[in-house]
Amino acid sequence: MSKTKSNGLTFKHKFGYALGDAGGCMTFAIMGSSFTMYCTDALGLNTALIAVLFAIWNVWDFINDPLMGALMDKSFAKHHNKRGKFRPWLLRSAPIVCVGFIALWSVPQFFDGVAMVAMLFILKILYEGAYTMFNIPMGSMLSAMADTDQERASLSSARGFGSMIGNMIPVIIAPAVINALGKTNPTGYAIAASVCAIIGLVMCLGHYALTEERNVVENASEEADNIKMTDILNVFRVNRPFLALCVHGVCICTMQYVGSTLANYMFSEVFGDLSLASYGAVISMPLMLLTLLLGPMLAKKFGLENFIRWGLLAGSVLYIILFGLHCVTTVNPFVHIIMNSLAMGLASMSIYMQWGLVGEAIDYNEMITGKRTEGSIYGTFNLARRVGQTIGNSGAVLLLGFIGYNAQLEVQTASTIFGIKILCVLLPGIFILGSWAAFKFLWNMTPETRAKVAEFKASKKAK
């Protein structure tokens, strides 16, 4: 049986939860925007090798994401840590994320050849493992903190603001520093990564200090024997909302990481000025803020699923229109930035709102299976997102080589420039359509189903 603490969510709780995603994104955003260029231009690795490395790294992520979630469920069910199910993992992992990230961007440059690749490989494994150890409990905290739809929506919105800040700060800092020192100079990457990692650590520690697990599991020792690592396999069979979220996660993350992996190439090669990436972050921030402010109100008026579907469809259409403009004329970089930001903002509303939907899928799963396994479900959802990340990262890098990108050239060929436009503008629009289809054809949480879930939760509290 679970019990919810009587005190409601406060501003402190919401601010603390926002700090979690902000802190995590301080390192994750640079991984998405600058790591490929760090490998190709600063370390001199070829795109085929980088694509293989990305594939191996992401296979590791496939393993550690659901495993970490299941481990947290099983560990708490057995030992019932008085500090909570998830918060102790936050404190353990945040310093490792910071140190591992700084090492990843600074140590490999002191080696050559196979030794450099080996060092890069090991440090990336360390960072990703530590990041998973932080990200899974941070995301799972939503279900541990919120008990009602309103609370979930409130925390989802807070996380959206945190994510926006955590993504914007690195893409303002990193391109400016890297451009100032030269994109082939590894020192610029190391400085940018170190600054962001330290800021991220402070935010992550604030997340630990200001959050509270309000949904307390009282019979953890009784549930320990019933929780199995293989439980998640049954979830895919019986939990259709969760399946829809996983398909959405694959598609929307592929869109994100194709765009973020190659965004710097769009500015440096198509527009001829990498520093435009920093201006792009500044210009897109108020647009993203506007969508975050209007999102909850529009979702309440039109329904969350309808709002998400229409936002995804509108974002896809904008990307396709922008690509058409790139095909027929020379697009002003600020026109590109504004249209790209609007398209990304509309599509990203599904990302900001999805965390509440994950909580809803967890409640639904508890009703139909009798087990509450936030860690396993969130870990597996994160695995789906990692699949999208793998497709976006590795696929983008392979395609970058396929279109003929050569880091040694001052100016890329016309066919390479056009290929970069396809990868950075058209492909994101296509994958957004896949996310739209998941909510259109798979998601099946009706008002009647929600009423049954609410009745089930009420009956549990009454026991």
Side-chain angles (χ1 to χ4, degrees), residues 300-315:
K300 183 177 181 180
K301 182 176 181 179
F302 298 107
L304 182 56
E305 292 88 347
N306 286 331
F307 173 68
I308 287 176
R309 283 198 294 266
W310 282 108
L312 289 167
L313 191 59

Side-chain angles (χ1 to χ4, degrees), residues 37-52:
M37 185 169 284
Y38 167 62
C39 293
T40 59
D41 291 41
L43 299 183
L45 303 180
N46 66 64
T47 55
L49 175 59
I50 297 169
V52 171

Side-chain angles (χ1 to χ4, degrees), residues 84-402:
K85 183 177 184 177
F86 303 113
R87 292 179 69 251
W89 295 91
L90 302 172
L91 192 60
R92 296 164 188 161
S93 57
I96 306 175
V97 171
C98 179
V99 173
F101 191 73
I102 293 173
L104 174 63
W105 292 79
S106 56
V107 174
Q109 64 178 297
F110 298 109
F111 296 83
D112 295 311
V114 175
M116 179 183 69
V117 175
M119 188 59 63
L120 183 75
F121 179 84
I122 293 170
L123 290 172
K124 180 72 156 55
I125 289 286
L126 172 64
Y127 163 72
E128 292 292 351
Y131 183 83
T132 296
M133 192 187 296
F134 176 82
N135 188 54
I136 299 300
M138 185 276 295
S140 301
M141 280 288 291
L142 187 144
S143 291
M145 294 176 68
D147 187 57
T148 66
D149 290 343
Q150 184 177 358
E151 288 180 344
R152 279 193 289 264
S154 179
L155 287 179
S156 294
S157 180
R159 178 170 181 170
F161 278 102
S163 176
M164 181 187 70
I165 298 301
N167 277 289
M168 290 300 174
I169 294 176
V171 297
I172 291 173
I173 293 175
V177 175
I178 294 168
N179 190 65
L181 296 179
K183 65 177 184 175
T184 60
N185 185 350
T187 302
Y189 296 88
I191 292 173
S194 298
V195 170
C196 291
I198 293 170
I199 295 173
L201 175 61
V202 174
M203 291 177 170
C204 291
L205 294 178
H207 170 66
Y208 171 82
L210 300 177
T211 53
E212 176 186 18
E213 296 186 36
R214 299 172 58 243
N215 296 334
V216 181
V217 179
E218 294 187 324
N219 62 341
S221 58
E222 296 174 17
E223 293 183 357
D225 294 334
N226 294 326
I227 296 178
K228 302 178 177 62
M229 294 290 188
T230 56
D231 285 342
I232 196 63
L233 299 177
N234 188 52
V235 174
F236 285 108
R237 184 176 64 84
V238 299
N239 195 330
R240 189 167 155 183
F242 180 66
L243 179 60
L245 284 169
C246 287
V247 173
H248 154 72
V250 171
C251 292
I252 206 69
C253 284
T254 301
M255 177 276 294
Q256 279 186 299
Y257 288 100
V258 166
S260 63
T261 298
L262 301 178
N264 282 354
Y265 295 92
M266 186 75 185
F267 289 112
S268 65
E269 309 303 335
V270 176
F271 296 121
D273 186 356
L274 180 58
S275 67
L276 284 169
S278 296
Y279 292 112
V282 173
I283 292 172
S284 64
M285 183 176 292
L287 296 175
M288 297 292 286
L289 181 60
L290 181 63
T291 58
L292 278 172
L293 291 173
L294 294 178
M297 293 184 288
L298 293 173
K300 183 177 181 180
K301 182 176 181 179
F302 298 107
L304 182 56
E305 292 88 347
N306 286 331
F307 173 68
I308 287 176
R309 283 198 294 266
W310 282 108
L312 289 167
L313 191 59
S316 178
V317 169
L318 269 177
Y319 267 124
I320 293 171
I321 292 173
L322 178 57
F323 177 71
L325 290 176
H326 276 290
C327 289
V328 299
T329 187
T330 300
V331 178
N332 181 280
F334 292 100
V335 172
H336 171 87
I337 289 170
I338 292 172
M339 291 189 67
N340 182 79
S341 298
L342 283 172
M344 178 65 75
L346 288 166
S348 294
M349 285 310 304
S350 66
I351 302 173
Y352 300 139
M353 295 296 180
Q354 71 188 2
W355 310 115
L357 297 180
V358 173
E360 193 170 47
I362 289 171
D363 289 342
Y364 177 74
N365 195 71
E366 184 180 13
M367 181 183 74
I368 60 178
T369 67
K371 300 179 183 181
R372 186 167 186 86
T373 52
E374 301 104 318
S376 297
I377 289 180
Y378 186 84
T380 306
F381 175 62
N382 214 47
L383 167 62
R385 289 166 50 80
R386 292 290 195 175
V387 170
Q389 179 184 344
T390 300
I391 297 171
N393 281 153
S394 297
V397 174
L398 280 174
L399 289 172
L400 187 65
F402 178 77

